Amino acid sequence: MSYSRLILLLLAIPLLTVQIACAQDRQVEWDPELTEDWTPVADSVQTTGHFAEPPSDAVVLFDGTDLSQWQSAPGYFPDAAGVPDYLEQLMEEHDPAPWSVEDGVMTVVPGSGNIKSNASFGDMHLHIEWKTPEEIDGDGQGRGNSGVFLMGLYEIQVLDSWQNPTYSNGQAGSIYKQRAPMVNASRPPGEWQSYDIYFEAPYFDEDGKLIKPAYVTVVHNGVLIHHREKIKGPTTYIGPPSYTEHPRKLPIGLQDHGDYVSFRNIWVREI
Ligand code: MG
């Protein structure tokens, strides 16, 4: 190779690298499949469930009576860039929660939107019981999908994951698109299930810099599925998560993903 050709080649390498990086950025921005992990598939564990009445010092958010502790909530952001706008809306007052209550159970009214707790929480133990419809309708992410959004930002996935393949970091109990549960402790559709979620809120300094990320421990139907797992940032459907500064306490969100998912016995013990 001549000397001039070698020089041209050396000049071209950084240009090519920039082009590839741009293409990867575009892919990350536009393709939700890039953040799906399909392997490994978590082993199934059989359990009869783990249901617990609120301790005397718990804040009861739903005891089967009504939705007075809940209100309507904004739609979730698709990617990290959408978080600041969403946060602003999350902290506003909204209309009463539009979901149904019958026989001591609250159920998503598909299409009515997400809901959030009136009260805000940071570090906490959250107990929540849920079930997906007994009659199976749809598959993968379209089967009994809802979600528990800690601080309205960090989703522990609710899904019918009983013999229902989907990406592992999107199944029931996953830190959605960040971490699959250690095992699949799902009960069959139509059966009540529980989450006990021990959550440590993130810390930011006065300049909004992240000092300590959020951590979460999750017990699904009495089975440990996350042990003080680090959360990488607010849940995103598209692209990688990254932290945005927010208050020490924010409301708990529940997701309307178009499925008739029900909830009961929701309480919090602040840590
Ligand atoms: Mg969900």
Side-chain angles (χ1 to χ4, degrees), residues 210-229:
L210 182 73
I211 297 298
K212 186 194 140 203
Y215 289 89
V216 72
T217 295
V218 182
V219 177
H220 182 191
N221 295 326
V223 176
L224 183 71
I225 59 168
H226 295 293
H227 186 208
R228 203 166 186 266
E229 194 65 49

Side-chain angles (χ1 to χ4, degrees), residues 76 141 144-149 155-159 170 176 255-257:
Y76 295 117
Q141 292 290 309
N145 194 331
S146 180
V148 178
F149 276 72
E155 183 183 18
I156 304 300
Q157 174 71 303
V158 168
L159 192 75
Y176 183 73
Q255 185 183 41
D256 167 16
H257 200 281

Side-chain angles (χ1 to χ4, degrees), residues 188-266:
E191 300 285 336
W192 282 102
Q193 312 201 38
S194 67
Y195 285 154
D196 284 278
I197 300 171
Y198 305 87
F199 177 71
E200 297 170 49
Y203 275 103
F204 301 89
D205 71 9
E206 284 172 3
D207 300 323
K209 188 168 159 274
L210 182 73
I211 297 298
K212 186 194 140 203
Y215 289 89
V216 72
T217 295
V218 182
V219 177
H220 182 191
N221 295 326
V223 176
L224 183 71
I225 59 168
H226 295 293
H227 186 208
R228 203 166 186 266
E229 194 65 49
K230 188 195 287 184
I231 298 179
K232 295 170 185 161
T235 299
T236 50
Y237 175 59
I238 301 166
S242 65
Y243 275 98
T244 297
E245 185 197 9
H246 60 69
R248 283 288 297 141
K249 295 185 178 188
L250 285 168
I252 295 164
L254 297 177
Q255 185 183 41
D256 167 16
H257 200 281
D259 297 326
Y260 292 94
V261 175
S262 299
F263 296 91
R264 70 177 187 190
N265 194 20
I266 307 173

Side-chain angles (χ1 to χ4, degrees), residues 50-63 124-129 195-196 198 265-271:
H50 178 74
F51 309 111
E53 290 306 310
S56 60
D57 62 350
V59 178
V60 176
L61 295 180
F62 181 67
D63 65 1
M124 67 178 141
H125 168 195
L126 167 64
H127 177 90
I128 186 164
E129 297 172 16
Y195 285 154
D196 284 278
Y198 305 87
N265 194 20
I266 307 173
W267 50 262
V268 170
R269 286 192 73 251
E270 294 194 78
I271 302 171

